[in-house]
Amino acid sequence: MNDTQYKSALEMRDTRKDERCKALVEALYKEAFPPEERLSPVTMWFLQHRQSCHYVAFFDEGAFAGLALYIELPSCLYIAFLAVDASMRSRGIGSRILSALAQAYPKLPVVLEIERLDEHAANYQQRVARLRFYERNGFVRTNYLKKEGSQYYEILANGGFSDIAQFKRELRAVFFYLPLFDVIPQS
């Protein structure tokens, strides 16, 4: 048992119901993700109006701690974006967010993506640290990539996830089969 299990649970707030939360989440989203990784405003608006999509703020003892944009798919819970507020980093918040989502959806494996490990990338060490963080939280590499334009992301999953073809079909259905991305084997 690790020490994060002894801390109080994070509070999750839906941004659709709380404008203050929405503003905090949007600011962190813009800070944490470079423009080439963000969804277009139209896509973001669209997702926020889908019942299966959730854009939530996490609070730790009343203080804004982080965000997650996730989609409930029939086969898994897909975390599209997860970020921890800079003032709350190195406190186990990211692990607690993952734990809160796993507890909220106990029957669904969790799938997410990270920037592909590329030794030539300026943030290579950050990418390695991110992979290690997710591995410590029970995620494994699937040997598949999600390609969005010129960006490649490595797909990670926790226990119970195995059908990448079904994941691809379900995620494409969320986006009405628009050619926004592809899922390909990692070579």
Side-chain angles (χ1 to χ4, degrees):
M1 186 174 280
N2 63 43
D3 62 345
T4 59
Q5 291 174 313
Y6 293 109
K7 297 186 181 207
S8 62
L10 294 174
E11 178 188 357
M12 292 173 59
R13 295 185 196 165
D14 187 335
T15 62
R16 288 180 270 218
K17 299 174 183 170
D18 187 329
E19 284 298 317
R20 179 179 167 267
C21 288
K22 187 174 184 177
L24 290 168
V25 165
E26 287 177 355
L28 177 55
Y29 176 71
K30 288 178 181 171
E31 173 204 318
F33 299 98
E36 65 273 11
E37 292 182 13
R38 294 183 212 145
L39 297 172
S40 73
V42 170
T43 302
M44 198 61 125
W45 178 89
F46 171 75
L47 287 178
Q48 290 177 20
H49 290 85
R50 303 267 332 221
Q51 193 65 28
S52 63
C53 300
H54 305 274
Y55 200 36
V56 298
F58 289 87
F59 289 81
D60 184 32
E61 297 180 5
F64 177 63
L67 70 85
L69 170 64
Y70 62 93
I71 304 170
E72 291 176 69
L73 299 172
S75 67
C76 67
L77 185 71
Y78 170 63
I79 301 175
F81 295 96
L82 185 149
V84 174
D85 187 84
S87 68
M88 302 295 274
R89 292 187 186 136
S90 299
R91 297 183 189 183
I93 299 292
S95 295
R96 290 170 62 201
I97 289 173
L98 291 170
S99 178
L101 292 172
Q103 288 176 12
Y105 300 90
K107 295 182 180 179
L108 292 176
V110 179
V111 176
L112 53 82
E113 61 208 34
I114 60 172
E115 292 173 294
R116 179 170 73 170
L117 296 187
D118 177 355
E119 293 176 2
H120 303 292
N123 68 342
Y124 176 70
Q125 292 304 322
Q126 183 184 50
R127 292 177 185 203
V128 170
R130 193 172 290 127
L131 173 62
R132 299 296 170 248
F133 163 77
Y134 284 115
E135 288 176 333
R136 282 192 311 273
N137 281 280
F139 287 82
V140 297
R141 300 167 95 173
T142 64
N143 294 317
Y144 284 90
L145 299 173
K146 184 174 171 213
K147 181 181 184 300
E148 296 177 18
S150 63
Q151 304 292 319
Y152 289 87
Y153 303 95
E154 185 171 350
I155 298 172
L156 306 178
N158 68 2
F161 178 79
S162 61
D163 193 341
I164 199 77
Q166 181 177 356
F167 166 72
K168 182 177 174 177
R169 282 190 307 273
E170 292 171 357
L171 194 56
R172 283 201 167 166
V174 169
F175 293 96
F176 290 108
Y177 301 95
L178 294 172
L180 301 173
F181 66 88
D182 198 8
V183 176
I184 58 175
Q186 186 167 350
S187 50

